[in-house]
Amino acid sequence: MPFRKSIPLLALVMAGLAAPAVQADPAPGATAQANPANWPAARSPAAITDLATENAISALLARMTVEQKVGQVIQGDISSVTPADLAKYPLGSILAGGNSGPYGNERADAATWAKMVGEYRAASKQAGAGIPILFGVDAVHGHSNLPGATIFPHNIGLGAARDVGLIRRIGVATAAEIAGSGIEWTFAPTLAVPHDVRWGRSYEGYAADPALVAAYGRAMTLGLQGELAPGKVLGPVQVAATAKHFLADGGTVDGRDQGDARLSERDLVAGHAAGYPAAIDAGALTVMASFSSWNGVKHHGNVSLLTDVLKHRMGFGGLVVGDWNGHGQVAGCSATDCPASLNAGLDLYMAPDSWKGLFDTTVADVRAGRITQARLDDAVRRVLRVKFKLGLMGPTEVMRGDPALVGAPAHLALAREAVAKSLVLLKNDGHVLPIRPGAKVLVAGPGADSMAMQSGGWTISWQGTDTTAADFPNGQTIGAAIAAAVKDAGGQAIVSPKGDSVQRADVAIVVTGEPPYAEFQGDVPHLAFTPQHGEEALIARLRAQGTKVVLVFLSGRPMFTGKLMNQADAFVAAWLPGTQGNGVADVLVARRDGKPLRDFTGRLPFAWPADARAPIASPLFRTGYGLTYRHRARLGPVNADPRIDLAAFDNSATFFRRGVVPAPWYLASDGVVGVRAVDLSAQEDARQFTWTGPGKFSVEGPPVDLAKRAEAGAVLLLDWRIDARTGAPVRLALGGGTLDIAGSVGAAPLGKAGELRIPLRCFAAAGGNLASVGGPLRIDATAGFTATIRSARIADGKGDEACPAAR
């Protein structure tokens, strides 16, 4: 669950479209009604609460007003709610989304975080019923929002390590660093079982094996929270865990984020439910509902899953929190009005920027009986139960906020160990690895000196694209770590990302892979890795010089890399190892005695594809594969044919086609923009967008480079129709550059299709980064505006187009 402050349109990607557009078409004969008897039983430990606590909660409920109770079931983001707001709106919880930093500073230190949390806490104690807020954050591979924190490998790398004890130790360290910044709740662990790794969140899943996910879910929960004890609260270095995302976020059709899992109930249980009973039995205090659907019904509104299965069959006694405006995707709901989610079993709405409107409508829904007092009281009880267990309430308040815990040496050593254990050796022909003592080594490639590439998304910022080595002075890039290890072993090393060293090397380590990404923007239409920085030519040149080549591949998923694998003498799947590059060097570089500090022990957590087709049907390497220095196997030439027409997937310059958003692009909104299919010149060949309040929709996807098209005079072409206008600003954004097109809208004939052509240079002049466009179309308007879009694409300019006139 993200927030992108760097883009002035709040919550575009993760906020949902108003129904019915987001309701997926179910498979024929499929149902989204779960039978609890078909699901595994579990039970939150009795120690999750006690009689004295329950009595205290009952006493609180008896004196709370409806407004105070409703406040407890709503969570706002620090970007849109201030401590002063709590005097009127006694919200029960605050979060900091992926790009939300204290006082607008994404790079604030731990002490500043603790100061901010303390201000919200103090304000909440003075408001409403005097109940302190619960503060949550996405600490998904360490306390990843915080510069200087210990950043562990993303979950896919930890899955490769296959070490349950390691996971629990990581949980302990992560909890200490979160608590060190004054925070008591993390939205982790992710218990997804990705079935199609085109999904951009695949790296948040530990493995394809549900049993390993279950074991890891238990271990991480116990690491973060410790063992729950009767009558005892969590300690000052422990935080609440969140088992997420319930359910089958990794099982959607085509691996689409927020998509639809079209599965039988039997397959849903067998393939995706295993992690939750294990986490619940271990005492997980919270569970997060998934954005996704099951057979066309959004989980945020599925009472049979949230209540009948999760709370009754699995005996979950904690609170169920929503995802970023996910309630707005439920049929009949919007981000500011959704009794259906609370009635389905949600206990805490995540309403980052919609909290104020949601508060007012929820109060009205309770007073009108659309939400019963009993359901509201149960939700509030569950929220308060977690607050008591965290030591936020009661006679002895647990104090968190020791910044010295952040980036502690023991935590850094643990991360280094985890990195080494996560590496998977897929090829080592000629035994080029480990790098021998005294060798001359070149470290090249786009990932050679890139903290952003090796750490991936959810690092400092949501997408992680702007992470630098300066953010982690106690970390090492892979290139720097290898160079230091080579020199310690008596060799010579040069780090040159472009590989333009004048010295001939014995061995070149080429570090390449995927650029950083997070949810939505990480979804891809196929599994072919396409080098963007001339890696293939670089390797060919090095091989022609007689240099041995080791390829270290950074990625959030297995990818088809046939040509690169054939070119390289050795191939290492390094996943997204985080900030401790020394862990890579520990395995790849031999010390002066000729032996590396560690051997390869990692095994593939997912199958490695033999071609670009997905889901992977015939893998090159099966799950569990991995070589060691003792286990040697020569790899002959592998298939280099993607076996699909990659050109057919190139929609990089087309954002709408006959009313449909083609892959890899996706449509997103903030819940106040309704969308429906309409006929413009053919059946359902367009989409009509209707604003019911101030809001926005966008087309999102993996970043593309439009800079050269801009230089050539290309334009953004909208084939659309204005159906209603208000005279208020209408803001159109591309790549972060925003223009007010109200003048163009006002000049367009109402109710008649036409074209709007805006030169790309206009967006660049407005501050857009056209070299990396992940949001090629965003429209922000107010209530009353309606527009119908048939197509949107980049087209050649005619030479006479002008930027929209300033109003």
Side-chain angles (χ1 to χ4, degrees):
M1 145 223 50
F3 170 74
R4 291 181 296 162
K5 181 185 60 185
S6 57
I7 296 171
L9 308 180
L10 301 179
L12 288 175
V13 172
M14 300 310 297
L17 290 170
V22 295
Q23 301 298 315
D25 295 328
T31 178
Q33 178 68 35
N35 177 1
N38 295 332
W39 294 71
R43 179 68 55 186
S44 290
I48 200 170
T49 188
D50 54 60
L51 182 60
T53 298
E54 294 301 304
N55 288 339
I57 292 173
S58 296
L60 265 174
L61 288 170
R63 65 173 184 265
M64 291 173 70
T65 66
V66 169
E67 288 79 6
Q68 290 167 354
K69 291 177 181 179
V70 168
Q72 288 300 305
V73 301
I74 296 177
Q75 180 184 65
D77 186 86
I78 62 173
S79 63
S80 64
V81 56
T82 68
D85 288 328
L86 301 182
K88 182 177 180 181
Y89 297 92
L91 303 186
S93 182
I94 303 293
L95 83 149
N99 276 357
S100 296
Y103 316 109
N105 180 12
E106 292 179 3
R107 286 171 165 78
D109 60 16
T112 305
W113 276 92
K115 177 177 180 290
M116 177 199 65
V117 174
E119 290 171 354
Y120 280 103
R121 190 102 62 216
S124 65
K125 291 179 180 180
Q126 299 298 317
I131 300 172
I133 56 101
L134 177 63
F135 196 98
V137 69
D138 283 283
V140 296
H141 62 138
H143 195 3
S144 46
N145 286 282
L146 190 62
T150 304
I151 306 300
F152 295 93
H154 267 296
N155 285 353
I156 191 170
L158 299 181
R162 295 175 179 260
D163 187 334
V164 175
L166 174 71
I167 300 308
R168 183 161 181 173
R169 288 187 288 143
I170 289 174
V172 171
T174 300
E177 298 205 6
I178 296 167
S181 62
I183 297 171
E184 66 279 345
W185 183 17
T186 176
F187 304 131
T190 297
L191 302 179
V193 184
H195 282 200
D196 187 332
V197 294
R198 288 178 293 179
W199 184 38
R201 303 190 76 161
S202 291
Y203 65 76
E204 295 186 51
Y206 292 118
D209 179 7
L212 183 62
V213 172
Y216 272 28
R218 173 180 173 79
M220 183 59 75
T221 298
L222 291 172
L224 292 167
Q225 297 185 174
E227 297 267 6
L228 299 188
K232 186 178 179 181
V233 299
L234 270 62
V237 294
Q238 294 170 326
V239 300
T242 306
K244 70 177 190 182
H245 305 86
F246 192 81
L247 184 68
D249 47 342
T252 61
V253 174
D254 296 331
R256 291 193 173 220
D257 197 47
Q258 302 187 30
D260 188 33
R262 299 176 190 173
L263 301 169
S264 68
E265 185 174 18
R266 179 179 179 179
D267 289 341
L268 184 69
V269 174
H272 300 279
Y276 293 92
I280 291 168
D281 285 342
L285 292 173
T286 75
V287 169
M288 184 180 289
S290 175
F291 274 118
S292 57
S293 309
W294 175 38
N295 290 332
V297 177
K298 285 290 179 180
H299 293 311
H300 275 68
N302 193 325
V303 65
S304 71
L305 287 177
L306 295 185
T307 297
D308 299 342
V309 169
L310 179 59
K311 291 183 175 179
H312 294 165
R313 177 64 173 172
M314 293 186 181
F316 177 60
L319 72 86
V320 178
V321 62
D323 210 335
W324 192 279
N325 277 333
H327 56 277
Q329 298 185 9
V330 174
C333 288
S334 71
T336 55
D337 189 5
C338 192
S341 276
L342 201 72
N343 289 334
L346 199 74
D347 301 309
L348 182 60
Y349 294 98
M350 186 180 288
D353 56 349
S354 59
W355 55 269
K356 188 177 294 184
L358 184 64
F359 179 91
D360 293 337
T361 58
T362 305
V363 168
D365 287 335
V366 173
R367 295 197 185 282
R370 290 183 288 271
I371 297 172
T372 67
Q373 282 284 352
R375 172 75 272 266
L376 178 62
D377 283 357
D378 176 62
V380 175
R381 178 177 294 276
R382 289 168 176 270
V383 172
L384 296 180
R385 187 177 286 161
V386 172
K387 291 183 178 183
F388 270 99
K389 199 64 186 176
L390 284 167
L392 300 177
M393 306 179 68
T396 305
E397 182 178 352
V398 173
M399 302 303 294
R400 297 174 176 88
D402 180 1
L405 295 170
V406 176
H411 301 164
L412 299 173
L414 177 61
R416 180 173 181 169
E417 175 190 346
V419 171
K421 289 182 173 179
S422 73
L423 305 177
V424 180
L425 181 62
L426 298 180
K427 179 180 181 180
N428 192 20
D429 288 1
H431 315 311
V432 65
L433 289 176
I435 305 299
R436 63 176 176 79
K440 294 180 180 179
V441 178
L442 168 68
V443 188
D449 198 36
S450 174
M451 190 62 78
M453 279 187 66
Q454 69 187 57
S455 298
W458 294 109
T459 311
I460 301 298
S461 60
W462 173 37
Q463 295 291 325
T465 55
D466 60 346
T467 304
T468 69
D471 292 320
F472 299 99
N474 51 16
Q476 316 84 35
T477 64
I478 291 172
I482 289 175
V486 168
K487 291 175 182 177
D488 286 346
Q492 303 174 40
I494 295 176
V495 179
S496 173
K498 294 183 179 180
D500 50 7
S501 170
V502 295
Q503 275 191 325
R504 180 186 175 278
D506 300 318
V507 179
I509 298 177
V510 177
V511 187
T512 188
E514 294 186 290
Y517 58 82
E519 53 202 294
F520 247 105
Q521 293 197 23
D523 288 5
V524 293
H526 54 73
L527 295 180
F529 171 68
T530 304
Q532 300 292 319
H533 302 275
E535 295 93 320
E536 292 176 351
L538 169 62
I539 295 174
R541 175 166 57 84
L542 292 168
R543 291 293 299 272
Q545 296 171 355
T547 301
K548 296 290 186 180
V549 175
V550 176
L551 196 140
V552 175
F553 192 67
L554 302 172
S555 69
R557 58 191 136 214
M559 301 198 77
F560 171 61
T561 52
K563 185 174 181 179
L564 287 173
M565 194 167 286
N566 286 336
Q567 283 184 296
D569 297 284
F571 191 103
V572 178
W575 316 111
L576 300 170
T579 59
Q580 300 307 297
N582 281 341
V584 177
D586 289 343
V587 182
L588 268 60
V589 181
R591 297 168 296 181
R592 288 181 182 270
D593 63 2
K595 298 178 181 178
L597 185 65
R598 293 179 180 273
D599 196 349
F600 283 95
T601 58
R603 300 291 181 267
L604 288 178
F606 298 92
W608 196 274
D611 53 49
R613 295 175 293 184
I616 301 169
S618 180
L620 177 62
F621 302 112
R622 297 190 179 278
T623 301
Y625 182 84
L627 302 174
T628 69
Y629 289 136
R630 293 181 297 275
H631 173 209
R632 299 173 176 178
R634 186 170 183 84
L635 182 67
V638 302
N639 172 56
D641 182 357
R643 293 176 178 153
I644 57 173
D645 180 7
L646 299 182
F649 292 90
D650 185 11
N651 293 308
S652 58
T654 300
F655 319 127
F656 272 87
R657 181 187 292 126
R658 295 179 62 84
V660 175
V661 178
W665 305 109
Y666 295 96
L667 196 61
S669 173
D670 61 0
V672 297
V673 183
V675 58
R676 65 188 184 98
V678 297
D679 301 344
L680 200 59
S681 57
Q683 184 176 4
E684 295 192 358
D685 68 336
R687 289 292 183 272
Q688 186 177 71
F689 298 87
T690 301
W691 275 254
T692 59
K696 44 273 183 184
F697 83 88
S698 67
V699 173
E700 300 287 343
V704 296
D705 187 350
L706 298 178
K708 290 184 179 178
R709 296 295 304 272
E711 293 172 2
V715 300
L716 172 65
L717 188 153
L718 285 180
D719 173 14
W720 68 342
R721 183 183 70 196
I722 306 302
D723 299 311
R725 54 193 172 213
T726 64
V730 177
R731 296 183 176 88
L732 174 64
L734 181 148
T738 303
L739 305 171
D740 184 356
I741 60 169
S744 300
V745 168
L750 202 64
K752 293 185 178 180
E755 289 186 352
L756 176 64
R757 301 170 66 91
I758 301 178
L760 295 183
R761 58 178 169 78
C762 304
F763 296 103
N769 176 14
L770 300 194
S772 182
V773 177
L777 180 65
R778 298 184 176 90
I779 297 180
D780 181 355
T782 57
F785 180 62
T786 302
T788 298
I789 299 177
R790 177 165 44 196
S791 68
R793 60 187 176 88
I794 304 301
D796 293 335
K798 297 178 178 179
D800 58 353
E801 297 96 347
C803 296
R807 299 200 317 143

